[in-house]
Amino acid sequence: DQIIQLVNAIFSKKNFESLSEAFSVACAAAALSQNRYHLPVIVVPDGPAAVSHHQPILRLQVTNVMSQPLTQASVTLDHAKSAATKATVLHQTAFALSSDVFELDFMSVKPASGYYDFAISIDGDSRFIANKVELKVKVSTEVGVANVDLFTVDKDQSIAPKTSRVTYPAKAKGSFTADSHQNFALSFQLVDVNTGAELIPHQTFVRLHNQKTGQEVVFVAEPDSKNIYKFELDTSERKTEFDSASGTYTLYLIVGDATLENPILWNVADVVIKFPEEDAPSAVQSKSLFVPKPEIQHLFREPEKRPPTVVSNTFTAMILSPLLLLFILWIKIGANISNFSFAPSTLIFHLGHAAMLGLMYVYWTQLNMFQTLKYLAILGSLTFLAGNRMLAHKAVKRIAAEQSSRLAKYRTLR
């Protein structure tokens, strides 16, 4: 295990910054390829790890870390199990050496299409390590469509169903109708072209394409207990998928799988679908994922209605009444404004304060919050600087007055 980890560590780096580093890796690879103790084995498929009836041979390259073939080795398939069913289809079978490549005809056991887990052993030298390999191999095949029947079924069952058989890849002659009185149905089987066995691919769809509008509707076709695929179109149940858009639709059968060499896109027939006229849309538009979507118009909430003018004026008068009362008391009692200074800072401070009160009124009547904050930042900055200047000037005057008072008292005492 330590040798295997060492090999992985040495060859994990793909690019080298210097020639000396690349030379060191080459020397290590040479030592691991030629020594008396351990020889790591590298097993890789020669090409894709896949077989089919056209390419039944699985080819493996068995080399050392220097990509030199180990022709003296013997390669054995311990077992091959289906990845889906876990059933063993082949075991203890030797690979044959052919021009430095080991080959195995896996298709000789006639495996079903799908993925298989291979367990492979490499022997022939006691120095071999990492000589137990697990490999996933894909078995591919070709799919065929058989027993394709198209039906027109009367809903009341008063008329016998009309059946038409189509052979892949031809298109059915004429058109079929599906309306409120009759349904359209399709049944078919999927078989392996090479073995005739029934197949259940991963993807089987029925697509209906409106020849006029380009609208497409896709349905999943599912098999029943007998592996027969059936699809029935009832216009009364499927009108939402079609948006009740009547017209001629082209029916396609789509079959796909990772193990299929020939995925199918088959134009089977034309189907005329008729919906009731009262369900038809006013304007049939092509459904496409690659067209501009309609613009979304955002509607903001309408502002609430303002109260009547009488209520607003009354409330404003109540708010301003304390200010009016203040002025009346000042006149009656007498206000001391002897210390009021007409310095620029004092005037700017009081005017700025008044302007901010006025801004609040304008905000209430005209401005929004963001506009108000912008103007408030300007007025507030000027008012703050002017107020700071005014208070500093008053502090200087007060200190000077105190010093003059003390000096006067000192002279009186002397």
Side-chain angles (χ1 to χ4, degrees):
D1 292 340
Q2 294 180 351
I3 297 297
I4 296 174
Q5 293 177 4
L6 176 62
V7 172
N8 293 333
I10 291 175
F11 293 99
S12 61
K13 191 173 183 180
K14 304 300 181 182
N15 299 317
F16 305 102
E17 297 179 357
S18 62
L19 291 176
S20 60
E21 187 178 359
F23 177 76
S24 300
V25 173
C27 291
L32 291 170
S33 301
Q34 300 293 335
N35 65 79
R36 295 180 295 172
Y37 306 103
H38 300 291
L39 294 178
V41 178
I42 309 297
V43 180
V44 294
D46 185 22
V51 294
S52 64
H53 291 275
H54 301 292
Q55 181 61 40
I57 305 299
L58 177 64
R59 299 163 59 88
L60 298 179
Q61 292 181 350
V62 181
T63 65
N64 57 23
V65 295
M66 293 290 287
S67 298
Q68 297 172 339
L70 299 177
T71 56
Q72 75 276 17
S74 60
V75 182
T76 304
L77 173 65
D78 295 335
H79 63 261
K81 293 183 178 181
S82 172
T85 63
K86 304 301 180 183
T88 301
V89 298
L90 187 63
H91 62 91
Q92 297 302 322
T93 304
F95 282 74
L97 180 63
S98 175
S99 302
D100 300 336
V101 177
F102 292 86
E103 298 180 344
L104 174 66
D105 185 3
F106 185 58
M107 296 303 295
S108 61
V109 297
K110 298 180 180 180
S113 60
Y115 289 91
Y116 292 83
D117 296 322
F118 279 36
I120 302 171
S121 300
I122 295 90
D123 300 311
D125 195 321
S126 60
R127 297 175 296 169
F128 286 164
I129 61 173
N131 57 337
K132 300 291 184 180
V133 180
E134 294 182 354
L135 183 66
K136 186 177 289 290
V137 178
K138 180 176 71 173
V139 176
S140 302
T141 189
E142 294 177 306
V143 64
V145 188
N147 302 326
V148 183
D149 293 322
L150 305 176
F151 303 90
T152 301
V153 184
D154 189 76
K155 290 186 177 181
D156 298 334
Q157 297 183 354
S158 58
I159 303 175
K162 298 179 182 179
T163 305
S164 176
R165 174 153 291 193
V166 186
T167 303
Y168 175 76
K171 181 179 179 180
K173 297 180 179 179
S175 59
F176 299 82
T177 302
D179 52 26
S180 58
H181 303 290
Q182 56 187 4
N183 295 341
F184 170 78
L186 165 68
S187 68
F188 58 93
Q189 286 181 295
L190 300 177
V191 297
D192 191 325
V193 173
N194 300 290
T195 64
E198 296 176 345
L199 292 179
I200 307 295
H202 287 168
Q203 298 175 338
T204 306
F205 303 108
V206 174
R207 185 179 73 179
L208 291 165
H209 177 266
N210 193 312
Q211 297 179 0
K212 182 179 180 181
T213 66
Q215 178 184 3
E216 291 185 354
V217 183
V218 180
F219 300 96
V220 178
E222 298 180 353
D224 59 11
S225 58
K226 297 181 181 180
N227 292 334
I228 298 177
Y229 287 84
K230 293 182 178 180
F231 167 73
E232 185 172 355
L233 177 61
D234 188 340
T235 56
S236 61
E237 296 179 356
R238 301 291 188 179
K239 61 181 180 180
T240 56
E241 285 91 338
F242 290 89
D243 291 336
S244 299
S246 303
T248 301
Y249 289 78
T250 303
L251 186 144
Y252 293 92
L253 178 63
I254 303 173
V255 181
D257 195 288
T259 61
L260 296 181
E261 296 180 329
N262 61 329
I264 292 176
L265 175 60
W266 178 24
N267 182 355
V268 182
D270 291 334
V271 182
V272 179
I273 302 177
K274 299 179 181 179
F275 294 97
E277 293 184 0
E278 59 270 15
D279 295 335
S282 57
V284 179
Q285 297 180 355
S286 175
K287 281 192 172 181
S288 176
L289 298 176
F290 307 103
V291 295
K293 301 299 182 182
E295 182 181 358
I296 300 176
Q297 299 291 341
H298 294 280
L299 297 178
F300 295 95
R301 188 179 65 178
E302 295 183 359
E304 297 181 358
K305 293 181 63 177
R306 293 185 177 182
T309 307
V310 176
V311 176
S312 300
N313 293 337
T314 303
F315 182 77
T316 303
M318 293 174 61
I319 294 298
L320 296 177
S321 60
L323 183 60
L324 180 61
L325 179 62
L326 175 63
F327 288 136
I328 294 173
L329 292 176
W330 276 355
I331 296 172
K332 185 175 182 180
I333 298 174
N336 184 12
I337 58 173
S338 59
N339 289 329
F340 185 81
S341 173
F342 289 93
S345 59
T346 305
L347 296 176
I348 294 175
F349 172 75
H350 287 87
L351 290 176
H353 193 267
M356 286 191 288
L357 294 177
L359 180 62
M360 295 299 104
Y361 171 77
V362 178
Y363 166 64
W364 180 260
T365 57
Q366 297 181 9
L367 301 180
N368 57 37
M369 181 183 296
F370 299 101
Q371 294 173 330
T372 304
L373 289 175
K374 180 175 65 175
Y375 295 133
L376 185 61
I378 299 173
L379 293 176
S381 300
L382 294 175
T383 305
F384 171 77
L385 295 176
N388 185 47
R389 178 74 175 176
M390 180 188 68
L391 293 176
H393 182 67
K394 286 185 174 294
V396 170
K397 290 179 65 176
R398 186 181 69 252
I399 293 173
E402 291 177 355
Q403 289 179 350
S404 300
S405 177
R406 290 175 184 175
L407 183 60
K409 289 181 180 180
Y410 176 73
R411 290 176 178 177
T412 304
L413 292 175
R414 290 184 63 184

